[in-house]
Amino acid sequence: MRLTVIGASGGIGREFVRQAAAADHEVTAVIRDSARSSAALREWERVPVGGPGRLHVAVVDSLSPGALVGAVSGRDAVVSALGPQGRSGDQTVNSLGVRAAVMAMQEAAVRRIVAVSAAPLFTDGPLLFRAVLRRVAWALFGTHYADLERMEKVLRESGLDWTTVRPERLTDQAGTGRPVLTVDRPAPGLSVSRADIATAILRLLPDASSVGHPVGVGRP
């Protein structure tokens, strides 16, 4: 596939670029900060790719639809791995970034998008999840989750072929390569590695049955 990854310098974004390039997909990695792009490039230079020109880096403003049009044109799909840099980071980056991506995709006639969201947006699931964990998560990170809700609303109203992945608590552990995917409900377990989230996105991109659904992601 020909893919554009927005938020490519973050934890999930870097891992997705690595896995996608290693699988011989053509990847355009969108990064807002040139300093962060240099660090990411040093990491990606160690990735075996199928041939020259398979990995591109675009340093552009990912919150600007006009700036993104060139990065998404001619792509088969777009992946949003956006997220704030800690609790003090921009808590509107998900909704604003995905809105910009949607507008750029509409102009470039690109239809498929998978965006990273979060498990606490599920309203059903096991009693413990509903009664305790979800309430605690919203108390701690409610501003971020509210922005993810706005992001998902943008996707639902976009007319595009969207899927959101809603992982459990993220870790930097090694990936299992076998993430559990659950459509429209939270996945089992309390945590999942960023590497497994990247694997899940690669599995979902060509999966037409996931279009229009949130998908829980957990450990096997």
Side-chain angles (χ1 to χ4, degrees), residues 4-219:
T4 292
V5 186
I6 301 169
S9 63
I12 293 174
R14 289 198 309 274
E15 182 62 30
F16 179 84
V17 170
R18 187 189 68 78
Q19 291 188 28
D24 202 26
H25 299 296
E26 183 177 339
V27 183
T28 296
V30 174
I31 301 175
R32 296 178 70 186
D33 187 327
S34 58
R36 297 191 75 184
S37 73
S38 298
L41 272 173
R42 288 194 296 272
E43 177 180 329
W44 294 330
E45 283 173 353
R46 301 191 294 270
V47 178
V49 295
R54 304 294 287 176
L55 176 58
H56 318 275
V57 175
V59 182
V60 300
D61 182 0
S62 57
L63 304 185
S64 166
L68 284 175
V69 171
V72 304
S73 294
R75 303 291 94 181
D76 297 311
V78 173
V79 172
S80 171
L82 290 166
Q85 298 179 33
R87 296 180 67 175
S88 62
D90 183 356
Q91 299 295 315
T92 65
V93 67
N94 290 90
S95 60
L96 295 181
V98 165
R99 179 175 283 111
V102 164
M103 294 173 67
M105 291 171 66
Q106 290 168 337
E107 182 170 341
V110 178
R111 294 202 52 80
R112 183 68 170 124
I113 180 170
V114 175
V116 177
S117 186
L121 267 64
F122 286 114
T123 56
D124 59 356
L127 179 61
L128 177 64
F129 178 86
R130 293 199 312 269
V132 180
L133 298 181
R134 185 174 183 273
R135 184 178 302 174
V136 170
W138 272 89
L140 293 173
F141 305 107
T143 302
H144 174 52
Y145 296 144
D147 190 51
L148 291 175
E149 287 187 323
R150 291 191 294 270
M151 177 196 78
E152 294 204 8
K153 184 174 186 290
V154 169
L155 290 171
R156 289 193 301 271
E157 296 175 350
S158 68
L160 300 179
D161 298 334
W162 63 269
T163 300
T164 57
V165 294
R166 293 179 176 178
E168 304 300 323
R169 182 178 63 86
L170 297 173
T171 75
D172 289 321
Q173 294 177 344
T176 66
R178 297 176 290 107
V180 175
L181 306 183
T182 52
V183 178
D184 295 329
R185 57 189 176 89
L190 300 179
S191 66
V192 62
S193 70
R194 290 174 174 83
D196 275 346
I197 298 302
T199 301
I201 295 171
L202 279 171
R203 281 173 50 184
L204 289 167
L205 281 168
D207 181 3
S209 69
S210 71
V211 170
H213 295 278
V215 178
V217 186
R219 289 177 59 84

